[in-house]
Amino acid sequence: MRRILIVGAGQAGLQLALGLQAKGYDVTVMANRSAEEIRTGRVMSTQMMFRTALRYERELGLNFWEGLAPRVEGLGVSVAGTAPGVPGVQRPVDWTGRLDGPAQSVDQRVKMAGWLDAFAERGGRVVVHSATVSDLDFLAPRYDLVVVAAGKGEIVSLFGRDPARSPYTAPQRCLALVYVHGLGPHEGHPAGEAARWSLVPGVGELWVIPALTTSGRADILFWEGVPGGPVDAFTGAFGPREHLALTLELLERFVPWEYGRATAVEPTDAGAALAGRYTPVVRDPVGRLPSGGLVLGAGDAVVVNDPLTGQGANCAAKCATSYLASILERGEEPFDAEWMRTAFERYWASARHATRWTNAMLAPQQPHVRALIGAAAGVQPVADRIANGFDDPSDFDDYFFDAARAESYVARAAAAGREA
């Protein structure tokens, strides 16, 4: 029986651990907190899992909350702007794309605590310890493979930045989120319950995501602000109520259509808010320890996308699925550096599309992208296709990045709609 150590108890690490455990591998998970500490701690992220990532969880029998989390059947996009002679912020673009399969968001405090408990109950070893490089140097010879799926801390230094795949060297957004109860309904969904994405040029973006949290049904209000702009204000020791108060001020100022349904909201709990920023990066997947041993990076340890396009948890799930297949196919052969790079490149063949699209959306929008998003308001197939690109970003390669292709696609879609 092959012995594998997985460092990190997030989406990628635990999904991979549970998948390997189900196949009979001897798996140890090293987590920096216990399940109970995760469950009762501060929120760790936003997340919205789309159809493909949810299918991967379902195939492993890990969809514990599928019947409890809100079914997100649509994805709404609004663009803020002004109109001559009309006071205040307007919404010149507003549409909702229908998803081919429902998405869902489960607070990672709920999911990761539940998965960690399940792993232990099924006989897996859990070591609660914040791993250091020296720890891994000591432990690596005792395992056939060490996978580092932790995106923070000293051990991330094992994986060098890949400059060819990392166009940014500084954070492109400041992030501020709060989980709330009491958000009112959004009027006019043609697609049932939907997540909402509001784009405010020059200021940032707001996500509103229906979610399941520790206290039940909730919504996430998540600002992505341009550094140095008006949303870059979540500094200091903000408690959830102070964080929410500032969030609401920004909603009223920049996205009044969302503020109107948020006047009675309250934080879900004492750990409901989080703020921070990080630099998008792709790293070399092979880490070399001081003694010469090798470790394989996974999830956020090697591919970090800004959460602007909601790809983080989805990419982590896809990474775990890809690595699981690579490990199973390896059989009894050694997990050497060549295999590690091959395993990563297999995953990167999918992940590169999410990274390319996210990095493009972080930059000032090109005219053809603005035109494409605007056209979706009048051509439902375009809205639906953009919405489903959140599940499969590779589809954007066909039409999103090139002005001529985008214009041609919209013209074809509009003509087909007129003929239908």
Side-chain angles (χ1 to χ4, degrees):
M1 182 184 297
R2 307 207 77 177
R3 303 186 71 221
I4 296 179
L5 172 64
I6 296 177
V7 181
Q11 178 76 40
L14 283 177
Q15 183 182 321
L16 179 59
L18 285 155
L20 288 168
Q21 184 184 53
K23 296 296 184 180
Y25 284 71
D26 182 352
V27 184
T28 299
V29 168
M30 184 174 286
N32 64 356
R33 291 184 294 167
S34 69
E36 186 60 21
E37 288 171 329
I38 294 170
R39 188 177 289 112
T40 58
R42 176 180 287 192
V43 293
M44 298 180 283
S45 67
T46 60
Q47 62 287 307
M48 188 160 65
M49 306 288 285
F50 294 94
R51 182 177 61 167
T52 300
L54 292 176
R55 174 167 58 83
Y56 292 150
E57 293 185 355
R58 196 175 299 117
E59 289 171 350
L60 293 174
L62 301 179
N63 55 326
F64 301 163
W65 303 276
E66 190 166 4
L68 300 173
R71 286 171 57 91
V72 178
E73 298 176 345
L75 195 150
V77 174
S78 300
V79 179
T82 58
V86 180
V89 178
Q90 305 301 308
R91 186 167 39 160
V93 175
D94 181 49
W95 50 264
T96 301
R98 295 177 290 246
L99 295 172
D100 290 341
Q104 71 176 32
S105 175
V106 178
D107 185 340
Q108 290 198 340
R109 295 178 297 180
V110 174
K111 180 186 279 190
M112 300 316 154
W115 279 2
L116 197 58
D117 281 339
F119 176 76
E121 289 165 3
R122 296 172 185 180
R125 286 186 298 276
V126 177
V127 177
V128 180
H129 178 71
S130 295
T132 65
V133 171
S134 61
D135 291 330
L136 299 188
D137 210 25
F138 173 78
L139 292 169
R142 292 159 174 76
Y143 293 88
D144 296 294
L145 174 65
V146 176
V147 180
V148 174
K152 299 178 182 178
E154 177 195 10
I155 55 177
V156 178
S157 66
L158 290 168
F159 308 103
R161 176 177 176 270
D162 183 343
R165 292 170 170 173
S166 305
Y168 296 116
T169 57
Q172 300 301 297
R173 294 291 188 273
C174 52
L175 316 174
L177 64 100
V178 59
Y179 284 59
V180 299
H181 289 313
L183 188 69
H186 186 280
E187 297 180 0
H189 288 181
E193 185 148 31
R196 305 288 309 174
W197 194 33
S198 294
L199 312 178
V200 187
V203 173
E205 300 80 22
L206 172 77
W207 274 103
V208 181
I209 305 172
L212 176 72
T213 188
T214 55
S215 51
R217 170 68 166 79
D219 289 275
I220 306 170
L221 304 178
F222 175 36
W223 272 112
E224 287 239 346
V226 174
V231 177
D232 190 0
F234 292 84
T235 57
F238 275 78
R241 292 193 177 278
E242 293 82 4
H243 186 116
L244 178 57
L246 180 53
T247 297
L248 293 176
E249 289 178 17
L250 294 166
L251 261 63
E252 184 176 24
R253 181 178 174 187
F254 295 111
V255 285
W257 51 90
E258 298 293 359
Y259 176 76
R261 62 189 184 119
T263 54
V265 296
E266 294 286 341
T268 58
D269 62 272
L274 184 67
R277 66 191 73 202
Y278 53 80
T279 303
V281 65
V282 178
R283 300 187 178 100
D284 187 320
V286 180
R288 188 171 295 275
L289 297 166
S291 63
L294 302 177
V295 297
L296 172 64
D300 284 351
V302 286
V303 178
V304 181
N305 291 315
D306 189 280
L308 174 65
T309 58
Q311 295 302 298
N314 292 274
C315 283
K318 294 172 183 178
C319 180
T321 299
S322 181
Y323 277 18
L324 176 61
S326 293
I327 292 169
L328 296 179
E329 292 167 9
R330 190 62 171 169
E332 295 299 319
E333 294 296 312
F335 297 113
D336 54 21
E338 181 181 359
W339 174 85
M340 289 181 178
R341 294 194 187 282
T342 300
F344 175 77
E345 291 300 328
R346 180 180 188 175
Y347 161 57
W348 178 247
S350 165
R352 65 185 179 87
H353 300 291
T355 296
R356 181 187 184 192
W357 177 49
T358 303
N359 287 343
M361 291 301 295
L362 286 169
Q365 284 186 7
Q366 298 182 38
H368 79 272
V369 173
R370 293 197 298 269
L372 180 63
I373 293 173
V379 186
Q380 189 62 43
V382 176
D384 294 346
R385 188 174 185 183
I386 293 174
N388 284 287
F390 283 76
D391 175 47
D392 179 15
S394 68
D395 186 51
F396 288 120
D397 286 1
D398 185 58
Y399 70 97
F400 192 88
F401 300 105
D402 180 82
R405 285 188 175 188
E407 184 178 359
S408 175
Y409 164 61
V410 170
R412 294 195 310 272
R418 291 191 295 269
E419 294 170 2

